[in-house]
Amino acid sequence: MREFVPPSTRFVDLPDGFAMHRGGTLHGARIAYETLGRLNAARDNVILILTGLSADAHSASHADDPSPGWWEAMLGPGKPIDTNSWYVVCINSLGSCKGSTGPASVNPRTGERYRLDFPSLCIEDIADAAASTVHALGFERLACVIGTSMGGMSALSLLARHPGIARTHINVSGAVHALPFSIAFRSLQREAIRRDPHWNRGHYDAESYPRHGMLTARKLGMITYRSPREWEDRFGRARTERGLRTTDEPFAPDFEVESFLESHAHRFLRGFDPNSYLYLSYCMDQFDLGESCGSTTGEALSRMDLEKALVIGVETDILFPLRQQHDIAAGLSSGGTDVQFLPVDSPQGHDAFLSDPDRFGPPISKFLSVG
Amino acid sequence: MREFVPPSTRFVDLPDGFAMHRGGTLHGARIAYETLGRLNAARDNVILILTGLSADAHSASHADDPSPGWWEAMLGPGKPIDTNSWYVVCINSLGSCKGSTGPASVNPRTGERYRLDFPSLCIEDIADAAASTVHALGFERLACVIGTSMGGMSALSLLARHPGIARTHINVSGAVHALPFSIAFRSLQREAIRRDPHWNRGHYDAESYPRHGMLTARKLGMITYRSPREWEDRFGRARTERGLRTTDEPFAPDFEVESFLESHAHRFLRGFDPNSYLYLSYCMDQFDLGESCGSTTGEALSRMDLEKALVIGVETDILFPLRQQHDIAAGLSSGGTDVQFLPVDSPQGHDAFLSDPDRFGPPISKFLSVG
């Protein structure tokens, strides 16, 4: 299988014997990251970005890699997160397949890929690996930690487990835990992969790959990343031009929305390791900020030693619904943080921060520019 | 394979050579129905019920079959649809597997089951078969036609294609067409069945049955039949008592919501024919009331010759969202029908008419008792 690491990605080694939250240790593990902008002399202009499930460390184009990143509209000189001022470090999550150590990596103890021998992965491990990376790069206190989607969970875990690691926080479409509707969706995605005979309990390769399982998982994911309102405006009941239907396939797709899902899923297909998808998806369901801290959510949110925070959610988000961001904001505020809660009226659902960036840029820019 | 017909179901033959809307004819086809209550001397107390995708004709218990029906709370002596006054005929949809002719039926021309040789099925065919049943039973004008979910589509098609067939209409969580979000969900359900190697292009049997495909399809369906709000109240993040997880199944379900989906899907598994599921699911996506009438939705809704109508929807319905029932009501009203639109504030989503009947009984009872 190919590795899927952007060309300008750099690496930090995790301490040998990195202890995982639910048991097991990693040896020779590393975290992939990219940077944008310049570190200032005071080393106090560092913004850390923790990403969603499928993102890599290449958040935006830069001199060493001019290809667009996953948050291209938001990051760069003169953009909302202005790299003329800020030194941005974006991390690929532990357990992913975009350069950081994960199930697709080779276990140095065996010389074979980990596959399902990779230890149980938790959001707490992603957070601890991020803290380790921050310290390895020589930063004491970040100016800001930004987390989007799953990265919003990772950021909260990082802040609760390493209080004081950041002065400020921007949480975009995150949550303190997953709700049952979201768990159900992700459970079915994992089931689609696990039921694919080619998954073979994690022992697939490029020739025998759980293609159908991954296609179904990604389509299901896309349903939750967008919103009914967007699709009604965008696709309505339009049929594909020629139709995907043939006479011997009586139930084959013929609506634009089906074609959209199909082409999106195909683009994703070979770009992500199925085992990594299972590990990351599962750890999102398991995460619970309060439980993780042996306390309540409120107590966890009150011990982060933040000066201020911006919490953004989207009114049409069905995966991390808006009340979850409201709850984060309320909890941080109760804990003494100066919080701004911003509900965004976008039709684009959970993915609005990617597909509708104009609504996120101005408030993020303003938050970063004041104090 | 077993047939899944309730014991007291009766049958009406469709005219031989029954012409299907998109081509093909059926020979020796029949419609399964059950009745409740007594026909009065004037023959003007007949209520016809058209059902959702998976329901049979046994809507409620009666002397010949005391087992509870799918709408038990609503139908019977002294119940909201009071069988002391009304003579209720509930029809199993053409194309289903609960007694009416469908893909699991034997084609008299070949002596083999139709399977995928069953003609293309449309909501219009379900409607025409219902009209044929009404006439075969000797009724000129129904007192009311009630349609729930897919049955709400079938009822609108029946009324548009056979104006004057009913004096009044109750539409429960129906729609004039499917929206792209709903199409996406049903498309993935069909894909799960079609991708199951045991589906075998419709040539399965009891020994080689598309079990995994049907389980996934039903779980996906259940996600759309309920609501995030209900599941949050009901399951939250509760884990199953012993957990369904075993050490060699690292991603196996362990939340209550996953266990709920699993057990519901297992109950459904052998009770419905997979090909029938595909045909009915597909025809819901294809249906468009305006297109079907060669006109606009408004024109179609204005030609039904109804005295009055009650249109009910549920605020938490994500499959047939409330604005779709609002649009039916508005269209009927513009066409001159005396319409009552009732948005129901239930957490139970699309299935509220089944699982939260107390909110439906009083308004339905009141509608039927006045004039």
Side-chain angles (χ1 to χ4, degrees):
Chain A
M1 282 176 306
R2 287 174 291 177
E3 290 268 328
F4 315 106
V5 186
S8 62
T9 298
R10 293 187 281 171
F11 301 92
V12 154
D13 289 332
L14 291 179
D16 199 54
F18 180 84
M20 301 286 278
H21 188 60
R22 295 211 174 167
T25 51
L26 293 178
H27 297 276
R30 64 184 195 175
I31 292 298
Y33 71 98
E34 287 194 24
T35 66
L36 298 165
R38 286 193 187 182
L39 184 62
N40 64 12
R43 306 176 71 84
D44 65 358
N45 68 331
V46 183
I47 292 177
L48 175 71
I49 297 181
L50 301 179
T51 80
L53 186 151
S54 60
D56 56 30
H58 187 59
S59 58
S61 58
H62 50 85
D64 296 336
D65 182 356
S67 67
W70 59 266
W71 220 7
E72 187 69 24
M74 199 61 69
L75 292 144
K79 291 189 180 172
I81 302 173
D82 189 345
T83 52
N84 288 327
S85 308
W86 300 106
Y87 182 63
V88 176
V89 179
C90 181
I91 279 182
N92 180 234
S93 302
L94 183 69
S96 178
C97 54
K98 307 284 190 177
S100 292
T101 299
S105 305
V106 171
N107 179 350
R109 298 256 161 128
T110 64
E112 304 285 335
R113 292 185 192 279
Y114 282 103
R115 303 184 187 271
L116 301 196
D117 289 335
F118 196 77
S120 186
L121 179 75
C122 298
I123 292 289
E124 290 84 346
D125 301 314
I126 295 171
D128 286 353
S132 189
T133 303
V134 167
H135 296 140
L137 293 174
F139 310 129
E140 285 301 313
R141 188 159 159 88
L142 301 164
C144 186
V145 55
I146 300 177
T148 57
S149 184
M150 183 187 84
M153 290 177 160
S154 308
L156 292 175
S157 184
L158 172 70
L159 290 163
R161 294 169 72 79
H162 305 274
I165 198 169
R167 280 203 302 115
T168 73
H169 171 44
I170 301 176
N171 198 294
V172 179
S173 301
V176 299
H177 57 221
L179 298 176
F181 188 73
S182 310
I183 292 172
F185 267 107
R186 280 194 290 265
S187 176
L188 283 176
Q189 291 173 54
R190 294 191 296 271
E191 187 171 322
I193 296 171
R194 290 164 56 228
R195 292 282 192 213
D196 188 321
H198 293 290
W199 177 59
N200 190 27
R201 301 190 61 81
H203 284 270
Y204 46 82
D205 56 31
E207 282 68 50
S208 177
Y209 180 91
R211 171 188 162 82
H212 290 322
M214 284 294 277
L215 285 173
T216 299
R218 184 59 171 176
K219 287 180 192 176
L220 262 173
M222 285 304 296
I223 286 181
T224 64
Y225 302 153
R226 303 305 175 96
S227 86
R229 193 171 118 201
E230 184 212 354
W231 284 0
E232 199 173 339
D233 294 346
R234 183 168 171 187
F235 303 118
R237 292 182 47 78
R239 261 91 167 178
T240 52
E241 209 164 303
R242 291 167 306 164
L244 303 172
R245 198 175 172 196
T246 61
T247 46
D248 68 339
E249 273 284 354
F251 312 110
D254 66 352
F255 285 96
E256 284 282 1
V257 66
E258 296 176 285
S259 166
F260 164 81
L261 288 175
E262 192 74 26
S263 60
H264 251 276
H266 273 95
R267 281 207 294 279
F268 183 72
L269 192 61
R270 297 280 171 169
F272 212 88
D273 175 58
N275 287 336
S276 192
Y277 195 88
L278 292 170
Y279 272 89
L280 290 167
S281 164
Y282 192 76
C283 82
M284 289 175 77
D285 288 355
Q286 296 294 327
F287 179 63
D288 188 305
L289 181 67
E291 197 179 282
S292 159
C293 297
S295 64
T296 66
T297 301
E299 284 165 7
L301 288 169
S302 70
R303 70 193 215 186
M304 295 179 173
D305 192 16
L306 288 166
E307 291 173 14
K308 64 174 188 172
L310 171 63
V311 183
I312 310 179
V314 178
E315 287 172 5
T316 54
D317 190 340
I318 57 175
L319 191 64
F320 285 69
L322 188 62
R323 64 184 181 284
Q324 294 204 288
Q325 293 85 51
H326 176 270
D327 291 350
I328 294 170
L332 287 171
S333 182
S334 294
T337 302
D338 175 17
V339 181
Q340 185 192 346
F341 170 58
L342 180 69
V344 172
D345 177 23
S346 166
Q348 306 268 349
H350 184 66
D351 264 1
F353 69 97
L354 300 173
S355 52
D356 197 4
D358 289 353
R359 300 186 200 244
F360 294 78
I364 287 177
S365 169
K366 188 174 171 203
F367 176 83
L368 291 173
S369 66
V370 180
Chain B
M1 280 176 306
R2 287 173 290 174
E3 291 267 328
F4 315 105
V5 186
S8 62
T9 298
R10 294 186 281 171
F11 301 93
V12 154
D13 290 332
L14 291 180
D16 200 52
F18 180 83
M20 300 287 277
H21 187 60
R22 296 212 173 165
T25 52
L26 292 178
H27 297 276
R30 64 184 194 175
I31 292 296
Y33 72 99
E34 287 194 23
T35 65
L36 299 165
R38 286 191 186 184
L39 185 61
N40 65 12
R43 306 176 71 82
D44 65 0
N45 69 330
V46 183
I47 292 178
L48 175 72
I49 298 181
L50 302 178
T51 80
L53 185 151
S54 58
D56 57 30
H58 186 60
S59 58
S61 58
H62 51 84
D64 296 337
D65 181 356
S67 67
W70 59 266
W71 219 8
E72 187 68 24
M74 199 63 68
L75 292 145
K79 292 190 180 172
I81 302 172
D82 189 345
T83 53
N84 289 326
S85 307
W86 301 106
Y87 182 62
V88 176
V89 179
C90 181
I91 278 183
N92 180 233
S93 302
L94 182 69
S96 178
C97 54
K98 306 284 191 177
S100 292
T101 299
S105 304
V106 171
N107 179 350
R109 298 254 161 130
T110 64
E112 304 285 335
R113 292 185 192 279
Y114 282 104
R115 303 184 186 271
L116 301 197
D117 290 335
F118 197 77
S120 186
L121 179 74
C122 298
I123 291 289
E124 290 84 346
D125 301 315
I126 295 171
D128 286 353
S132 187
T133 303
V134 166
H135 296 140
L137 294 174
F139 310 129
E140 286 299 314
R141 187 159 160 90
L142 300 163
C144 185
V145 56
I146 301 177
T148 58
S149 185
M150 182 186 84
M153 290 178 160
S154 308
L156 292 176
S157 183
L158 173 69
L159 290 162
R161 295 169 70 78
H162 305 273
I165 197 167
R167 280 203 301 116
T168 73
H169 171 44
I170 301 176
N171 198 294
V172 179
S173 301
V176 298
H177 58 220
L179 298 176
F181 187 73
S182 310
I183 292 172
F185 266 107
R186 280 194 289 265
S187 176
L188 283 175
Q189 290 173 55
R190 294 191 296 272
E191 187 171 321
I193 296 171
R194 290 163 57 228
R195 293 281 191 216
D196 188 321
H198 293 290
W199 179 58
N200 190 27
R201 301 192 60 81
H203 284 269
Y204 46 82
D205 56 29
E207 282 68 49
S208 177
Y209 179 91
R211 172 188 161 82
H212 290 321
M214 284 294 277
L215 285 173
T216 298
R218 184 60 172 177
K219 288 181 192 175
L220 262 172
M222 285 304 296
I223 286 182
T224 64
Y225 302 153
R226 302 305 174 95
S227 86
R229 193 171 117 200
E230 184 213 354
W231 284 2
E232 198 172 341
D233 294 346
R234 183 168 170 188
F235 303 117
R237 291 182 47 78
R239 262 91 167 177
T240 51
E241 209 165 301
R242 290 168 306 163
L244 303 171
R245 196 177 174 196
T246 62
T247 46
D248 68 340
E249 274 285 354
F251 313 109
D254 66 352
F255 285 96
E256 284 282 0
V257 65
E258 296 176 285
S259 165
F260 164 81
L261 287 176
E262 192 74 26
S263 60
H264 252 275
H266 273 96
R267 281 207 295 278
F268 184 72
L269 193 59
R270 297 281 171 170
F272 213 88
D273 174 57
N275 288 336
S276 192
Y277 195 88
L278 292 170
Y279 272 89
L280 289 167
S281 164
Y282 193 75
C283 81
M284 290 175 77
D285 287 357
Q286 295 294 328
F287 178 63
D288 188 306
L289 182 67
E291 196 179 282
S292 159
C293 296
S295 64
T296 64
T297 301
E299 283 164 7
L301 288 169
S302 70
R303 70 193 217 188
M304 295 178 174
D305 192 17
L306 288 166
E307 290 173 16
K308 64 174 188 171
L310 171 63
V311 183
I312 310 180
V314 178
E315 287 172 5
T316 53
D317 189 340
I318 57 175
L319 191 63
F320 286 68
L322 187 62
R323 64 184 181 285
Q324 294 204 286
Q325 293 85 51
H326 175 270
D327 291 350
I328 294 171
L332 287 172
S333 182
S334 295
T337 303
D338 176 17
V339 180
Q340 185 192 346
F341 170 58
L342 180 70
V344 172
D345 176 24
S346 166
Q348 306 267 350
H350 183 66
D351 265 0
F353 69 97
L354 300 173
S355 52
D356 197 4
D358 289 353
R359 300 186 200 243
F360 294 78
I364 287 177
S365 170
K366 188 175 170 200
F367 176 83
L368 290 173
S369 67
V370 181

